Amino acid sequence: MAIKGGRGDEKKAQIRLEWELVPILHTRLLNGQEIICCCGDKVTTTYYRFDAKNRSNGKQDVLFAADGCARKLLGIAPAIAPLPLFDPLQAPPVRRNRGAGGGGANGPVMHPFNRELYEAIHLLLMCWGRPPSAGGPLAAILADIRQAPGISLPDSAAKSVNSVIKSGQRTLTAMLQALPPQTPSMRTFTFPLIRQALSRHREQPTSWV
């Protein structure tokens, strides 16, 4: 059950005091999905999903926050670095590599293979309408990308993402095609680097992206 009771600055400060929050997703709500913010209001556009760990008893939970509430949670000392927004309805921001770690307000520059993994995971979770399982492979891959976005993950990461998609018995492309019509149209995702990594894997699994 997601953490609630976050309406108002004092309540948010109490949540930060009691819970260790790690931002996992910053993305858009798609048609037909319903998520409730920690303040009790419905999310209508973009939102954060946090992994939460109780500081006193170690209990694991999640917290959803619309962007306004998320900004306040992130800004409470000690501040938490925000995540760039993943929005499949808009073209990604143009990034100019200004050296290791450079990237400005949109975060560090991401290796192209990591970018495809990042996008595939977000699209899958958006299609499924649920966040990644705590401790699962998708959450682990997202954590690895956040830790070192400019260093390519191994090919095995593509195999892990592909296996999770396969568990749903529909390709990611089929799931995206089955989504309700979006305005503006969703941009095209082809994942050539993921497909190449799968072809290099010793098992040569069938691609499910």
Side-chain angles (χ1 to χ4, degrees):
M1 181 178 293
I3 297 170
K4 298 294 192 297
R7 184 176 294 279
D9 292 349
E10 291 186 5
K11 296 290 187 180
K12 289 181 175 62
Q14 186 65 31
I15 287 175
R16 282 293 309 273
L17 184 65
E18 295 179 2
W19 296 88
E20 179 183 348
L21 299 182
V22 178
I24 300 296
L25 300 177
H26 181 201
T27 189
R28 165 183 292 280
L29 191 72
L30 294 181
N31 290 352
Q33 296 179 334
E34 182 173 305
I35 292 176
I36 303 299
C37 178
C38 64
C39 71
D41 293 339
K42 286 185 178 181
V43 173
T44 57
T45 53
T46 56
Y47 67 95
Y48 270 78
R49 176 267 169 108
F50 296 86
D51 272 354
K53 182 179 180 180
N54 191 281
R55 298 184 189 276
S56 61
N57 59 26
K59 176 185 175 183
Q60 303 280 345
D61 211 329
V62 297
L63 182 148
F64 296 99
D67 275 6
C69 286
R71 281 193 295 271
K72 292 183 178 180
L73 285 167
L74 293 167
I76 296 170
I80 301 172
L83 296 179
L85 173 67
F86 173 73
D87 188 346
L89 306 185
Q90 296 179 2
V94 175
R95 295 168 180 266
R96 294 177 173 83
N97 195 340
R98 293 176 292 174
N106 291 311
V109 173
M110 196 176 293
H111 188 280
F113 180 56
N114 292 354
R115 170 66 60 186
E116 288 193 14
L117 293 169
Y118 178 87
E119 292 176 341
I121 291 172
H122 278 71
L123 289 168
L124 175 63
L125 298 173
M126 293 172 78
C127 289
W128 281 355
R130 63 177 186 264
S133 301
L138 300 186
I141 290 171
L142 289 175
D144 288 343
I145 292 173
R146 286 197 303 274
Q147 184 174 0
I151 300 176
S152 176
L153 291 183
D155 288 353
S156 58
K159 173 66 161 49
S160 296
V161 172
N162 194 64
S163 296
V164 174
I165 298 172
K166 180 182 177 181
S167 68
Q169 295 300 304
R170 283 200 302 170
T171 66
L172 181 55
T173 299
M175 284 186 271
L176 293 172
Q177 291 174 345
L179 289 173
Q182 303 291 328
T183 304
S185 298
M186 187 176 291
R187 53 192 167 96
T188 301
F189 298 88
T190 57
F191 308 112
L193 299 181
I194 290 180
R195 295 177 189 275
Q196 291 172 22
L198 292 174
S199 70
R200 290 192 297 265
H201 194 276
R202 65 183 184 279
E203 298 177 9
Q204 293 191 325
T206 300
S207 173
W208 285 78
V209 294

